[in-house]
Amino acid sequence: MKQDDINRIYSIAKTSYNKAKEALELAHGMFYFREDSAISDVIPGYKANQLKFGSYTKDNFAVLFVDMRGSTRRAISVGEEQTFLTMHIYIPALLEVIKLYHGNVIDIMGDGLMVFFGGSKQDDNIMTKDVAIKNAAYCSLGMMTIKEKVINRILNEEKMKWPDISIGIGVTYGDVIVTKIGINDVYDVKAFGDCVNKASKYSGGDNKIHVSNTIRDKWPKGKDGTLKFIKSRSDDGYYVNYEGAV
């Protein structure tokens, strides 16, 4: 990742933190988490008003899950105010990385994010399988870079009680079933598939990138070829030895 991108994301995350801190000071003791609008209609090429309940379409995506590890213990330790402020650093920083690599945020689940790359019904340029995997791969490395050089940097600068967070990332590729689910006035477009479940499971390591065999085989080759993969002992995936690559 270029230093200019790191500096830009740092500035965005720090601004988000400062705004959250100002809001917290104005409404001390009264703040609460609020989601003004749910994420919906974000699966590229699939709109709720064009789908029927019960119908489905099969497509292929590279799927990335990222999760803050130990977040429950951290929240108990640091308290609600520092948790609130941390999220206003963490989420904007990761969203900027996703945008940089043309990912589509499908869901934000607390401190976890699900991201799709590719698909056959994109509005703009079609992202081929190889490009989707390449973008997901670079996005995972970019997240690890930003975690250290932006998120943890700001947490340390602001002297947070628990200044260093860890994240886990899972990346897979495969068939996804897209369907409209719900009732007439409450519904969403959702994606299901083995690759989605695996990516979520793979995100369970501390500061680890865990990928499927397909992602390993198609992972973009570095200039020096030093990136290595370590076979997981608990499943059919691989861990990325990214030291020196971020």
Side-chain angles (χ1 to χ4, degrees):
M1 179 175 284
K2 297 177 181 178
Q3 188 60 46
D4 286 348
D5 289 323
I6 295 172
N7 293 341
R8 179 180 57 81
I9 294 172
Y10 171 86
S11 178
I12 290 169
K14 192 64 179 280
T15 298
S16 176
Y17 167 82
N18 287 333
K19 287 181 178 178
K21 189 175 181 180
E22 290 173 7
L24 193 58
E25 291 169 352
L26 289 173
H28 193 271
M30 297 171 58
F31 74 86
Y32 55 96
F33 292 95
R34 177 180 176 182
E35 188 174 345
D36 291 328
S37 59
I39 293 179
S40 185
D41 275 3
V42 293
I43 299 177
Y46 299 90
K47 297 298 180 183
N49 60 5
Q50 298 172 358
L51 299 174
K52 295 180 180 180
F53 288 112
S55 65
Y56 71 89
T57 304
K58 184 178 288 188
D59 208 338
N60 292 280
F61 293 93
V63 181
L64 182 152
F65 263 85
V66 57
D67 182 62
M68 185 190 298
R69 307 306 302 153
S71 58
T72 301
R73 288 184 290 108
R74 185 182 188 278
I76 293 170
S77 175
V78 305
E80 58 186 11
E81 290 188 11
Q82 286 200 13
T83 298
F84 171 79
L85 293 172
T86 297
M87 295 304 291
H88 280 275
I89 302 166
Y90 172 79
I91 294 293
L94 292 185
L95 291 178
E96 286 295 325
V97 179
I98 294 165
K99 185 165 65 175
L100 190 64
Y101 295 103
H102 310 290
N104 292 279
V105 178
I106 305 304
D107 209 350
I108 299 178
M109 304 149 286
D111 52 57
L113 290 85
M114 178 168 68
V115 188
F116 280 9
F117 299 82
S120 64
K121 296 186 177 182
Q122 300 162 78
D123 295 331
D124 301 321
N125 297 324
I126 296 298
M127 191 183 296
T128 65
K129 175 180 178 179
D130 287 354
V131 173
I133 289 175
K134 180 187 76 173
N135 286 4
Y138 285 145
C139 187
S140 68
L141 294 174
M143 286 178 170
M144 286 299 181
T145 298
I146 291 304
K147 185 261 299 181
E148 283 302 318
K149 296 188 177 182
V150 171
I151 300 171
N152 284 347
R153 175 183 168 185
I154 296 174
L155 292 175
N156 278 275
E157 288 173 349
E158 298 301 326
K159 296 180 170 54
M160 292 283 189
K161 184 177 178 182
W162 190 324
D164 296 314
I165 66 161
S166 64
I167 60 175
I169 300 174
V171 188
T172 62
Y173 183 92
D175 293 338
V176 170
I177 289 176
V178 180
T179 186
K180 181 177 179 179
I181 192 167
I183 57 178
N184 285 334
D185 53 353
V186 183
Y187 57 85
D188 204 352
V189 178
K190 291 295 183 183
F192 304 94
D194 185 54
C195 66
V196 175
N197 297 333
K198 278 189 175 182
S200 176
K201 178 184 175 183
Y202 284 177
S203 67
D206 286 349
N207 293 325
K208 294 185 182 298
I209 301 173
H210 193 166
V211 304
S212 66
N213 187 58
T214 300
I215 298 295
R216 183 201 67 161
D217 289 345
K218 293 287 187 179
W219 191 281
K221 299 296 186 291
K223 292 180 180 179
D224 56 4
T226 57
L227 201 68
K228 290 183 171 52
F229 296 88
I230 303 169
K231 184 71 176 72
S232 171
R233 295 181 179 179
S234 59
D235 53 52
D236 58 354
Y238 292 81
Y239 291 104
V240 181
N241 183 355
Y242 59 85
E243 291 185 12
V246 300

